[in-house]
Amino acid sequence: MVQQNRITARTNLLGLIGHPVDHSLSPVFQNAALNALNLDYVYLAFDISTGDLMDAVRTLRTWRLKGINVTVPHKEKIIQWLDRLDDTALLLGAVNVVVVKDEELVGYNTDGIGFAKALDFNQINLNGKQVALLGAGGAARAVLSVLIERGVRKVIVFNRSFERSLQFQQWAKNSFATVIEIDNWESFINGQSSFLSQVDVLINATSLGLSQEIIEVPWNGIDNCELVIDVVYNREETPLVREARKKGKKAFDGKMMLLFQGAESFRLFTGFEAPIGVMEKALNEALR
Ligand SMILES: NC(=O)c1ccc[n+]([C@@H]2O[C@H](COP(=O)([O-])OP(=O)(O)OC[C@H]3O[C@@H](n4cnc5c(N)ncnc54)[C@H](OP(=O)(O)O)[C@@H]3O)[C@@H](O)[C@H]2O)c1
């Protein structure tokens, strides 16, 4: 919990912007970390509609915020009002952290680091694996950058909008000189994609599952799949993780990714290494 009595006229303000944000657990674990290190900051959540985004970004300096996390649906749109992006945010074309540095708004992306550390936490080696990646948005781009770094053999992307799959494929070619396969969403759902029998790992980077939506996975068609990763997280298991575990597969959700991207955000905001144990404890308590 935030210790209200430590807030003074000099307390620094951090925040999260998105729409909606009331489900977010970032304020819980960011404030726990700030309190643990006795840093004079407070972290709040702001529900900003897309129509208000430009005004909100332009006034970050006016309100002397030190930094913000950015979540759905603003990660791409916000870029046009920032002064500078670091290399990762530039590569991914999406920003989830803005630091206000000497009046400059600098954009970063810590989702990839979050995903990479979640793989390490779960002792996952993806070298040589064939991966079915669901989704072609910002999270999918962060995930793909890590999959390539980790030496996967093949990636097949399935996305609801095929147009976006094509853009994603082109982006991967331009950014990593890598050719990824794409197939349409329906041929994933109905199990007809010829790629499915080769899949070792299934990763969901769509927003399905946030509100307990079920992804119709053709489990019989992906017999060889040994691992299921969901970037979505929920208070309970996500439906995908629940279903995968029932089928006897190793599976984990986006909770640790959230925590590790948050820890990296904390370092960018404050200059201090995040007390990860404190953050994890606060997150688990909030999820209970
Ligand atoms: N754990 C973490 O730390 C972490 C970090 C980042 C993101 N995330 C989660 O990852 C998810 C995606 O985020 P994002 O930034 O990539 O969002 P985004 O850029 O808006 O992309 C959303 C993706 O979900 C797909 N989608 C949405 N509704 C769908 C539906 N009804 N059926 C099939 N596909 C659907 C979209 O397909 P179309 O292209 O067809 O619209 C698109 O591929 C969110 O739930 C977010 O909370 C988690």
Side-chain angles (χ1 to χ4, degrees):
M1 289 295 289
V2 187
Q3 293 162 14
Q4 300 291 351
N5 58 359
R6 72 169 172 75
I7 295 174
T8 70
R10 286 182 301 278
T11 300
N12 296 300
L13 183 55
L14 296 170
L16 165 73
I17 64 169
H19 182 67
V21 287
D22 54 356
H23 68 286
S24 174
L25 297 169
S26 293
V28 172
F29 63 74
Q30 293 291 359
N31 283 307
L34 293 165
N35 287 338
L37 297 196
N38 212 12
L39 298 174
D40 194 8
Y41 289 82
V42 66
Y43 184 109
L44 300 175
F46 301 100
D47 193 326
I48 305 288
S49 68
T50 303
D52 287 337
L53 183 61
M54 183 179 79
D55 287 344
V57 178
R58 288 198 169 150
T59 53
L60 288 177
R61 280 175 278 244
T62 316
W63 291 97
R64 299 192 185 284
L65 267 91
K66 294 293 175 191
I68 48 166
N69 279 124
V70 183
T71 188
V72 179
H74 303 323
K75 287 182 179 184
E76 292 167 34
K77 193 165 187 210
I78 197 170
I79 289 175
Q80 60 192 302
W81 299 298
L82 303 182
D83 299 308
R84 201 156 53 83
L85 300 185
D86 89 326
D87 290 347
T88 308
L90 200 60
L91 175 77
L92 299 179
V95 158
N96 76 325
V97 179
V98 177
V99 177
V100 187
K101 263 188 198 160
D102 307 324
E103 296 277 305
E104 234 190 354
L105 303 180
V106 187
Y108 299 87
N109 192 306
T110 65
D111 284 338
I113 296 179
F115 183 71
K117 289 197 171 175
L119 291 178
D120 296 341
F121 177 85
N122 285 286
Q123 299 181 316
I124 305 298
N125 180 358
L126 291 178
N127 194 28
K129 300 292 184 194
Q130 311 211 57
V131 180
L133 175 59
L134 308 183
R141 284 202 292 270
V143 167
L144 184 72
S145 68
V146 177
L147 297 182
I148 290 171
E149 198 181 276
R150 296 291 168 107
V152 297
R153 180 140 57 100
K154 190 189 248 186
V155 178
I156 307 113
V157 170
F158 299 94
N159 192 59
R160 181 180 57 175
S161 143
F162 195 68
E163 180 64 33
R164 208 166 177 198
S165 293
L166 286 166
Q167 289 165 6
F168 190 85
Q169 189 181 42
Q170 191 58 44
W171 167 80
K173 193 170 168 208
N174 296 343
S175 307
F176 307 106
T178 296
V179 177
I180 58 161
E181 308 285 350
I182 54 174
D183 203 345
N184 55 56
W185 182 252
E186 289 70 31
S187 39
F188 173 75
I189 298 295
N190 63 27
Q192 281 174 351
S193 171
S194 58
F195 293 116
L196 291 178
S197 59
Q198 308 163 17
V199 168
D200 303 310
V201 180
L202 172 67
I203 303 178
N204 174 42
T206 73
S207 40
L208 289 172
L210 257 185
S211 308
Q212 293 292 324
E213 303 94 333
I214 291 168
I215 303 175
E216 294 165 57
V217 176
W219 294 107
N220 292 337
I222 55 165
D223 280 353
N224 294 331
C225 174
E226 60 213 31
L227 169 68
V228 175
I229 305 175
D230 201 345
V231 303
V232 173
Y233 67 92
N234 246 311
R235 279 176 200 275
E236 301 134 50
E237 277 177 323
T238 62
L240 177 64
V241 167
R242 192 165 49 239
E243 213 36 40
R245 285 181 179 154
K246 266 197 221 155
K247 304 278 175 199
K249 302 188 191 294
K250 183 178 169 76
F252 58 90
D253 68 10
K255 192 187 81 177
M256 294 313 285
M257 176 178 174
L258 172 78
L259 192 70
F260 288 121
Q261 68 73 28
E264 186 60 15
S265 306
F266 182 95
R267 197 183 63 76
L268 291 167
F269 291 145
T270 67
F272 291 93
E273 287 303 322
I276 197 84
V278 171
M279 292 172 100
E280 189 180 359
K281 186 163 171 273
L283 178 60
N284 284 334
E285 277 170 10
L287 284 169
R288 223 170 275 143

